[in-house]
Amino acid sequence: MTNKPVGSNNQMESDVYYPSPEVVAAAHVKEYETLYKRSLEDPEGFWGERAEELEWFQKWDKVLDDSDAPFFKWFVGGKTNIVHNAIDRHLKTYRKNKLALIWAGEPGDVRTFSYFALNRNVSKFANVLKSMGVKKGDIVTIYLPRLPEQVIAMLACAKIGAAHSVVYGGFSVEALAERIEDAQSRVLITADGGWLRGKIVHLKDIADEAMARQPTVETCIVVRRTGQEIYMEAGRDYWYDDLMSLPIASPICETEPMDAEDMLFILYTSGTTGRPKGVVHTHGGYMVYTYTTLKYVFDIKDEDRWWCAADPGWITGHSYIVYSPLINGATSFMYEGAPTHPYPNRWWQMIEKYGITILYTAPTAIRGLMRFGDAWPNRHNLGSLRLLGTVGEPINPEAWKWYHTVIGKERCPIMDTWWQTETGGFMITPLPITPLKPGSATRPFFGIDVDVVNDDGQPVPPGEEGYLVVKTPWPGMLRTIYKDPDRYREQYWSKFGTMYQTGDSARKDEDGYVWVIGRMDDVIKVSGYRLGTAEVESALVSHPDVSEAAAIGLPHELKGNAIHAYVILRAGVEGSEKLAETLRQHVAHEMGPIAKPETITFVDGLPKTRSGKIMRRLLKARALGLPEGDTSTLEQ
Ligand code: WTA
């Protein structure tokens, strides 16, 4: 890439980085404007063509049905199964013997799966699930560390038409219990443990406690990873390996034909209020959308080794570790552990060893590795890399430049992809041909009509901050909130009617580049992980010493944001350092270590509106020493 500073070309004051002729020559898409215009003018034509690149058991009657907006339907009348496109169709080609998955364990063990082997494992496990009574429409909860079995379990569910609900392995007891409860899962898949920073994460203990709180689980399948002694309840808990060696685990299993709009998975995510919501994605639209976005944005080719360093427990992993790389017939690399274990060169060493060509990660990981200096990456040959990517939060220009210079050696464009659990795949993102401005996710993807608007839904002038909205539907969009269509309407469509509200604020510059600023609601992105203030607060008040709590996010150098909590104790309880630590541990136990507040401040009261809502905005302004803004609704 060449760097041509363009001076003050826009309000955001940024250098522009142009892709090199070699990168442009290799790209799937060579021109943006014409195709983008066409995709908005004729979305059904555009998406219909993309869908035709994949296999269907029965073709759709209509690409988009918007008669019941905002409950949009895509590829109506079509029949397919995402697993048919992710695995089955490749078995008829040379890809049968190609590596689908390369997995590296933290202690140094390695496992690889060809498409043939992946199919064998998925089919066997699909038969195991069937033998446990799992059928089309059921929801299976998966609570695993980053292991191949996580991918296998997700695909096995989809293959037989069951939906999966994957709970991130870093979540803890209450987070898992409430997700099991909402999905009413009868089957839970977990592991004896996982390796992280040289230590065992005791997943089965957490699962046992969650199952005790939510007795809906009748069968718990346990993957053996760490090998330590764990409690196994007779009649409920079974070892994965034992089940896979039984005759019922036949390697032949038909892939269930599904309606395009049948549920593929639910994934719980944090919203503005209350409990996490189950975002629903489907077989047809999600399949077409993730396939197309990965193909165009990361320019996936057969010879690529793609590494999305997220966790399959979050949307990034669902879409870009599991489904879209397989649909594209790529080789996906997956790593179990921490980037710095045993040394901060772990990632760079693996890029060299496995010849990774594309690395996709989060700004927080880049910042975390950057602080160990250039010597660690410089000890390795990173010449196999051709593209880089980031996701999860705005990337600060300093981290962008380090990633670009030290990791990408100024050769590799950085795809800063803005999207959400709800959107299924990338929404605002560069293509390899796009001139880049560090810190901007650049322009919308094909078929995506985004804008920045004011309170009345009117577009704001370039450079002004406003609400980021999406004006037309797209195939990868969530279909509803599981069991709660009202909340779906309320959360995404109540403010601007026909425009999808993202919950983010943003600016557009004069070139139409979008600069995402951050969440406008009570969602906090901690190290790129999405958490809700409400969940942290409910974890805090579940402790007997706590009467009320408020959580806010404040800027943090490495994590992007960190959680800070304000706590009112019950009468007679004294605040102390020790109690603050106890409460932090309590949140980690209930929600997960990522939700542990950075600080806990004991207070006598919390600023509230007259209707009793905590004014977190005010707490934040006070903590940052900023003006308090409009306090007219404050209860005096
Ligand atoms: C934020 C993750 C700036 C944003 C895929 C969004 C980003 C939320 C970017 C969704 C980016 C994601 N630049 N902000 N490139 N990507 N975000 O559901 O606030 O975990 O609303 O999905 O992450 O988080 P979620």
Side-chain angles (χ1 to χ4, degrees):
M1 292 189 96
T2 46
N3 174 12
K4 291 191 209 152
V6 194
S8 57
N9 58 322
N10 60 65
Q11 275 80 4
M12 304 346 133
E13 294 276 338
S14 166
D15 295 347
V16 179
Y17 292 73
Y18 292 88
S20 68
E22 298 79 56
V23 171
V24 175
H28 271 121
V29 186
K30 304 259 187 294
E31 203 274 343
Y32 172 78
E33 302 294 341
T34 322
L35 191 54
Y36 179 64
K37 203 158 160 270
R38 193 242 150 170
S39 71
L40 289 197
E41 282 166 5
D42 177 21
E44 295 198 50
F46 177 79
W47 290 116
E49 281 166 27
R50 304 289 77 73
E52 274 176 32
E53 294 171 20
L54 300 173
E55 290 186 358
W56 297 73
F57 302 129
Q58 184 181 305
K59 200 178 160 175
W60 54 92
D61 306 317
K62 192 153 174 35
V63 174
L64 168 64
D65 175 358
D66 56 5
S67 57
D68 187 24
F71 298 91
F72 298 96
K73 296 190 180 76
W74 287 86
F75 308 107
V76 186
K79 281 195 184 294
T80 188
N81 184 310
I82 199 167
V83 174
H84 177 82
N85 280 292
I87 301 180
D88 306 5
R89 75 183 177 117
H90 302 309
L91 303 177
K92 296 176 279 189
T93 72
Y94 63 92
R95 285 188 181 139
K96 176 177 170 183
N97 296 322
K98 181 180 172 174
L99 288 187
L101 186 66
I102 304 173
W103 173 87
E106 196 186 75
D109 44 343
V110 177
R111 291 164 70 192
T112 56
F113 296 80
S114 63
Y115 275 87
F116 179 78
L118 185 62
N119 179 55
R120 189 181 154 81
N121 280 276
V122 169
S123 297
K124 281 168 70 73
F125 194 55
N127 281 321
V128 167
L129 290 175
K130 276 188 186 170
S131 78
M132 296 294 180
V134 177
K135 39 181 206 321
K136 197 169 170 171
D138 289 353
I139 303 173
V140 174
T141 298
I142 301 173
Y143 178 63
L144 283 170
R146 275 196 291 267
L147 292 178
E149 283 74 14
Q150 199 180 20
V151 179
I152 292 166
M154 290 165 73
L155 293 164
C157 289
K159 188 175 174 75
I160 61 173
H164 51 72
S165 162
V166 181
V167 180
Y168 170 55
F171 273 139
S172 197
V173 179
E174 186 54 27
L176 175 60
E178 68 183 0
R179 284 160 177 77
I180 291 174
E181 199 262 305
D182 191 74
Q184 288 292 305
S185 286
R186 289 184 304 108
V187 175
L188 173 70
I189 304 163
T190 187
D192 56 353
W195 290 106
L196 194 65
R197 291 182 204 93
K199 295 204 184 80
I200 291 175
V201 183
H202 293 274
L203 267 83
K204 180 61 167 52
D205 294 350
I206 296 170
D208 283 337
E209 227 181 304
M211 284 188 283
R213 289 186 199 181
Q214 285 309 329
T216 59
V217 177
E218 293 161 12
T219 304
C220 177
I221 301 174
V222 187
V223 175
R224 199 188 302 270
R225 167 63 183 139
T226 45
Q228 83 280 18
E229 277 281 313
I230 55 162
Y231 170 74
M232 293 289 280
E233 187 170 298
R236 186 193 69 184
D237 301 348
Y238 301 89
W239 289 106
Y240 176 93
D241 286 342
D242 291 349
L243 297 171
M244 289 289 268
S245 61
L246 294 175
I248 45 146
S250 145
I252 294 160
C253 177
E254 282 293 309
T255 300
E256 184 75 27
M258 303 295 284
D259 286 337
E261 281 292 305
D262 276 341
M263 179 160 77
L264 168 64
F265 64 82
I266 51 179
L267 183 56
Y268 288 90
T269 190
S270 307
T272 307
T273 49
R275 301 155 59 85
K277 45 193 188 193
V279 166
V280 173
H281 284 289
T282 58
H283 273 260
Y286 176 83
M287 170 178 87
V288 172
Y289 196 70
T290 54
Y291 158 74
T292 309
T293 47
L294 182 66
K295 178 174 166 184
Y296 287 2
V297 174
F298 283 101
D299 208 23
I300 287 285
K301 306 263 169 41
D302 242 329
E303 54 276 22
D304 274 318
R305 287 191 162 185
W306 157 257
W307 181 9
C308 166
D311 189 289
W314 299 86
I315 193 67
T316 309
H318 278 58
S319 299
Y320 298 109
I321 294 177
V322 183
Y323 288 111
S324 70
L326 295 174
I327 301 169
N328 276 285
T331 297
S332 201
F333 176 75
M334 189 172 159
Y335 167 58
E336 177 185 34
T340 48
H341 190 85
Y343 298 107
N345 66 334
R346 185 68 192 262
W347 275 21
W348 320 128
Q349 180 200 18
M350 292 191 300
I351 288 173
E352 180 173 14
K353 178 170 174 193
Y354 297 103
I356 303 299
T357 55
I358 313 170
L359 173 66
Y360 182 46
T361 183
T364 188
I366 299 164
R367 289 192 295 266
L369 288 163
M370 189 168 105
R371 83 193 143 125
F372 293 103
D374 301 359
W376 290 107
N378 286 346
R379 289 192 184 104
H380 296 275
N381 178 356
L382 304 179
S384 59
L385 289 172
R386 66 182 191 87
L387 285 173
L388 299 172
T390 123
V391 58
E393 55 175 324
I395 181 162
N396 47 315
E398 197 197 354
W400 195 100
K401 286 178 186 155
W402 187 81
Y403 199 28
H404 184 246
T405 314
V406 180
I407 306 308
K409 312 290 181 216
E410 298 184 358
R411 282 182 303 106
C412 310
I414 298 174
M415 304 297 109
D416 177 352
T417 61
W418 177 90
W419 59 295
Q420 308 178 299
T421 306
E422 294 87 342
T423 69
F426 312 146
M427 297 290 279
I428 304 174
T429 173
L431 300 170
I433 57 167
T434 309
L436 304 172
K437 301 182 191 180
S440 168
T442 76
R443 308 274 306 270
F445 189 70
F446 302 116
I448 303 301
D449 193 3
V450 301
D451 213 341
V452 178
V453 301
N454 62 18
D455 264 308
D456 304 323
Q458 296 304 314
V460 300
E464 247 176 57
E465 186 175 342
Y467 301 90
L468 182 65
V469 295
V470 188
K471 290 154 85 176
T472 53
W474 65 101
M477 68 196 302
L478 81 163
R479 295 303 190 266
T480 188
I481 301 289
Y482 184 60
K483 294 196 297 197
D484 204 347
D486 291 343
R487 196 161 168 206
Y488 168 71
R489 266 184 208 278
E490 165 60 30
Q491 181 96 41
Y492 305 106
W493 306 94
S494 58
K495 193 164 171 64
F496 303 116
T498 58
M499 296 192 282
Y500 166 86
Q501 67 210 54
T502 64
D504 279 9
S505 65
R507 292 192 192 100
K508 253 190 198 179
D509 68 18
E510 309 222 294
D511 302 325
Y513 277 47
V514 179
W515 298 73
V516 174
I517 298 164
R519 300 292 305 192
M520 298 182 99
D521 54 11
D522 296 324
V523 170
I524 311 177
K525 295 290 297 232
V526 181
S527 302
Y529 296 120
R530 178 166 163 179
L531 300 170
T533 51
E535 294 156 90
V536 179
E537 290 161 5
S538 86
L540 281 166
V541 295
S542 72
H543 190 278
D545 289 347
V546 176
S547 148
E548 264 191 273
I552 57 168
L554 296 178
H556 185 279
E557 211 183 320
L558 281 183
K559 300 176 183 175
N561 297 288
I563 297 173
H564 295 262
Y566 298 83
V567 165
I568 304 179
L569 293 171
R570 280 196 195 285
V573 183
E574 277 290 312
S576 66
E577 277 289 315
K578 192 161 163 267
L579 182 57
E581 185 49 31
T582 307
L583 294 180
R584 292 176 72 239
Q585 292 305 338
H586 179 71
V587 174
H589 180 79
E590 292 295 301
M591 270 282 287
I594 45 165
K596 215 196 273 181
E598 204 78 0
T599 61
I600 289 190
T601 310
F602 297 110
V603 291
D604 296 329
L606 289 166
K608 284 187 190 162
T609 62
R610 274 183 288 267
S611 57
K613 276 211 223 137
I614 297 170
M615 293 179 81
R616 296 188 190 83
R617 180 182 58 78
L618 206 58
L619 282 172
K620 201 167 165 173
R622 285 176 186 167
L624 293 171
L626 295 171
E628 298 197 350
D630 180 9
T631 53
S632 57
T633 57
L634 184 66
E635 184 191 46
Q636 297 299 332

